[in-house]
Amino acid sequence: MTIPAVVSATDLSLTFHTSDGPVTALSDVTLDIKKGEFVSFIGPSGCGKTTFLRAIADLERPTSGSIEVNGQTPGNARKDRAYGYVFQAAALYPWRTIEKNVALPLEIMGYSKALKAERIARTLALVNLEGFEKKYPWQLSGGMQQRASIARALAFDADLLLMDEPFGALDEIVRDHLNSELLKLWKETQKTICFVTHSIPEAVYLSTKIVVMSPRPGRVTDIIESSLPAERPLDIRETPEFLAIAARVREGLRAGHSYEE
């Protein structure tokens, strides 16, 4: 059985026009992301990883080429609430409690009071934040705030989750914990996830597919299908199979001259 593509990009290029002249962020990117995949994008700063996510979300418009989300334009997918977006910062409203932050997209979409309550309870349970509904963001740790942000993105049950380096600002211990929790969440919900990261271990640990990108203009230098098992304890990172995939990611980054200015 052929697994449908949730995101399909063909020869996608995107150029920003600035006061200093044109800046090409993406160049000739061709990529299919299948339903249920966990796809990480890794590359140096400025290589177009976030720009690609923003193109999926209809926040940026391609200069040439095409991109489809669920077989339609990103604009129509946005109107259909086809995706949730988790940003680098939790971006929670400090004057709203956690449950009211999670409720925000449901309020905008006109959900009934009963359905809002059910969705809030379910998504907070998914991210292990039961009991913190009445807390304010400033009363939570950074990791808990990001979990609340993930709950908000999951609240309206979109099949596609776009995550722009959500754990990059957290310490290693918290990051490891949230990586494990995110894998559990992905298996439980069967969402398709697009995940931006600068961390090779994080990309290898989380992903079914790793997309390695070059410096600007962003190009795909390698697409790595993971051979790791579905069950991934943290100590899998010490296995030869894990280290072999990490080495291939590093080679892809070197091939793209990612450390040259």
Side-chain angles (χ1 to χ4, degrees):
M1 184 179 68
T2 302
I3 301 174
V6 174
V7 177
S8 184
T10 304
D11 298 327
L12 179 72
S13 296
L14 196 153
T15 299
F16 294 108
H17 296 281
T18 73
S19 58
D20 296 325
V23 175
T24 301
L26 294 170
S27 178
D28 298 323
V29 173
T30 295
L31 178 68
D32 282 344
I33 298 170
K34 301 295 182 65
K35 183 176 177 59
E37 286 189 316
F38 195 126
V39 180
S40 285
F41 296 82
I42 189 167
S45 296
C47 75
K49 304 182 298 294
T50 293
T51 300
F52 187 76
L53 249 62
R54 290 175 62 85
I56 295 172
D58 195 40
L59 298 174
E60 304 291 353
R61 300 293 174 87
T63 306
S64 63
S66 65
I67 185 167
E68 292 186 342
V69 183
N70 291 335
Q72 56 187 342
T73 66
N76 287 336
R78 174 176 52 80
K79 293 173 185 175
D80 286 348
R81 322 289 187 187
Y83 60 85
Y85 205 120
V86 181
F87 296 91
Q88 293 180 25
L92 302 172
Y93 289 113
W95 60 87
R96 278 183 168 244
T97 62
I98 295 306
E99 66 179 356
K100 289 191 177 297
N101 267 285
V102 174
L104 184 59
L106 306 178
E107 292 172 8
I108 293 170
M109 295 165 70
Y111 279 65
S112 68
K113 184 177 180 180
L115 190 52
K116 278 192 296 185
E118 186 274 327
R119 288 290 181 90
I120 292 166
R122 179 164 58 84
T123 54
L124 286 177
L126 278 171
V127 299
N128 295 319
L129 282 179
E130 307 101 312
F132 292 90
E133 296 86 352
K134 305 299 183 184
K135 300 292 186 182
Y136 288 88
W138 53 270
Q139 295 176 299
L140 274 59
S141 68
M144 294 172 77
Q145 289 181 32
Q146 278 294 34
R147 280 153 56 193
S149 178
I150 293 169
R152 182 178 57 192
L154 292 171
F156 52 95
D157 206 27
D159 288 333
L160 175 62
L161 191 59
L162 307 175
M163 308 186 75
D164 186 7
E165 206 172 353
F167 309 141
L170 303 175
D171 68 66
E172 188 173 358
I173 295 172
V174 174
R175 189 170 185 156
D176 282 352
H177 174 69
L178 291 182
N179 280 177
S180 295
E181 291 300 308
L182 181 57
L183 272 185
K184 293 176 186 174
L185 179 69
W186 170 64
K187 291 170 187 173
E188 185 169 344
T189 63
Q190 298 185 325
K191 305 291 185 189
T192 304
I193 297 181
C194 297
F195 187 95
V196 167
T197 182
H198 282 99
S199 167
I200 293 174
E202 184 171 64
V204 177
Y205 177 70
L206 290 173
S207 311
T208 61
K209 179 187 290 182
I210 304 163
V211 178
V212 184
M213 298 185 69
S214 71
R216 189 173 59 242
R219 296 169 290 104
V220 174
T221 61
D222 200 2
I223 299 174
I224 303 166
E225 301 281 351
S226 177
S227 57
L228 295 178
E231 295 298 323
R232 300 181 187 181
L234 282 171
D235 60 8
I236 199 173
R237 296 178 301 183
E238 301 168 13
T239 63
E241 192 171 17
F242 184 100
L243 295 173
I245 298 171
R248 180 171 164 185
V249 174
R250 287 191 186 90
E251 181 58 34
L253 292 171
R254 283 195 294 269
H257 307 292
S258 61
Y259 302 109
E260 293 183 6
E261 296 294 335

